[in-house]
Amino acid sequence: ILSAGAQVMDNWMLTPQLEYHGWSLYQTHRIRVQVPGTGINPTFPEARTEDIWVARLGSSWQPLSWALVHSGVGYMPSPIMGLSGIHNDVDTGRIIGGLGLEFIGQNFLNPQQINSHFRVGVFGQLHYLIPRTVTKQTEALGSPGYELKGSAYVIGTQFSFDT
């Protein structure tokens, strides 16, 4: 992971990040399917994966001494090559956006320590799946094909103490 932070202004930090995922080292398995009564008994080749680079850009802005606003965007391509329709792979690239609010207060469990704080945050992420269409090579083994599309979201909270 390559990551760097730059203090753009007194209250604003910008953080680009680049990750390498070595998916080509992942060993997939050969699949053999028997379809009773059809005479179809194929052996499918392994699904092929490739290495990918994941790019992200994050930002933290502190408008007040007790509040932070975090945001970010990223792109993660699919490591599955080609989606030839031989397999029923369900994977596509995605664009990820996030937003979070963090509130900072004096640590009431350790009031003698001046630099001891607690933090409470809420955050959300949206994962937009880049549409991808798969056409089956043979309809005898299943559906004529499918389209991958949609989105997913994640929401959460965090609570921490500095010691």
Side-chain angles (χ1 to χ4, degrees), residues 14 24 65 80 94 107 116 136 159:
L14 196 60
S24 63
S65 63
I80 298 177
R94 70 194 92 151
N107 185 348
S116 181
K136 292 291 211 174
F159 187 77

Side-chain angles (χ1 to χ4, degrees), residues 2-26:
L2 297 173
S3 184
Q7 194 77 33
V8 179
M9 290 189 265
D10 286 341
N11 61 349
W12 187 36
M13 169 86 66
L14 196 60
T15 309
Q17 185 179 47
L18 189 61
E19 284 182 17
Y20 174 78
H21 295 221
W23 279 100
S24 63
L25 299 175
Y26 177 72

Side-chain angles (χ1 to χ4, degrees), residues 70-152:
H70 303 288
S71 63
V73 66
Y75 171 67
M76 179 180 283
S78 172
I80 298 177
M81 298 172 65
L83 285 185
S84 64
I86 292 175
H87 305 283
N88 285 324
D89 297 318
V90 179
D91 194 39
T92 186
R94 70 194 92 151
I95 298 170
I96 305 160
L99 184 64
L101 300 173
E102 186 175 359
F103 303 99
I104 305 166
Q106 182 65 33
N107 185 348
F108 54 86
L109 295 177
N110 194 1
Q112 295 85 8
Q113 191 75 305
I114 293 174
N115 291 326
S116 181
H117 299 95
F118 74 90
R119 296 170 182 263
V120 177
V122 294
F123 64 88
Q125 280 188 352
L126 176 67
H127 294 244
Y128 170 73
L129 305 179
I130 298 169
R132 193 171 184 181
T133 301
V134 177
T135 303
K136 292 291 211 174
Q137 289 187 353
T138 174
E139 292 184 27
L141 296 178
S143 71
Y146 50 93
E147 183 178 10
L148 304 170
K149 63 181 180 177
S151 60

Side-chain angles (χ1 to χ4, degrees), residues 38 51 115:
T38 64
D51 299 341
N115 291 326

